[in-house]
Amino acid sequence: MHDQAINITKNGIVLPGRLLVPDRARGVIVFAHGSGSGKESPRNILVAARLNETGFATLLLDLLTAGEKENYRQNVFDLDLLTARLDLAVDWVLAAPELRGLPIGLAGASTGAAAALNVAARRGRAIAAIVSRGGRPDL
């Protein structure tokens, strides 16, 4: 298992994350956390570990920067912002040599689920699966 702290950066934005890649990974799941959750959430870490055990790479990251969390309630419902950040994460996955060619799935929770649906709609066949847990698809 390859476990790596990563930073996704663009235009001065830094999104820290954690990439876990099992040997012979068969896909990669990008987590899109919603309100009240993040890459350090015990529930998300547990779900990622189970996915890793079944051969899926996982990318846990926060869609908001530390500074943006100061206006958390406003930003957590900014669907355009969350969608752009998740789209940035998908770009990073597509460029990562250790993930090249793997199918991409998005696992969204709360407002992250709405962002996952938006990204999947924009990306079409580049996204192989979407999971919405307690999502806000109405957004």
Side-chain angles (χ1 to χ4, degrees):
M1 173 83 69
H2 174 73
D3 184 347
Q4 176 184 357
I6 59 114
N7 284 312
I8 298 173
T9 59
K10 184 175 182 181
N11 300 331
I13 301 297
V14 178
L15 303 176
R18 180 176 178 208
L19 176 67
L20 294 110
V21 184
D23 294 335
R24 294 183 293 279
R26 57 189 188 148
V28 59
I29 309 299
V30 180
F31 282 68
H33 310 296
S35 57
S37 188
K39 69 179 176 24
E40 302 298 330
S41 161
R43 180 183 347 195
N44 293 330
I45 291 170
L46 178 66
V47 171
R50 296 298 175 261
L51 287 166
N52 297 145
E53 290 170 5
T54 62
F56 289 96
T58 55
L59 176 58
L60 296 162
L61 75 154
D62 294 326
L63 298 178
L64 298 176
T65 67
E68 290 165 341
K69 289 180 183 177
E70 292 174 13
N71 294 320
Y72 183 72
R73 295 311 306 164
Q74 174 185 339
N75 289 326
V76 78
F77 289 103
D78 185 340
L79 190 53
D80 291 335
L81 175 65
L82 298 175
T83 299
R85 298 297 170 71
L86 185 55
D87 208 36
L88 184 62
V90 170
D91 284 341
W92 187 90
V93 166
L94 289 169
E98 65 269 34
L99 304 174
R100 188 158 293 132
L102 293 178
I104 299 171
L106 304 175
S110 187
T111 52
L117 290 171
N118 278 346
V119 169
R122 291 179 183 180
R123 297 277 183 156
R125 292 179 186 221
I127 304 300
I130 306 167
V131 174
S132 173
R133 179 185 58 79
R136 292 290 313 266
D138 58 310
L139 294 176

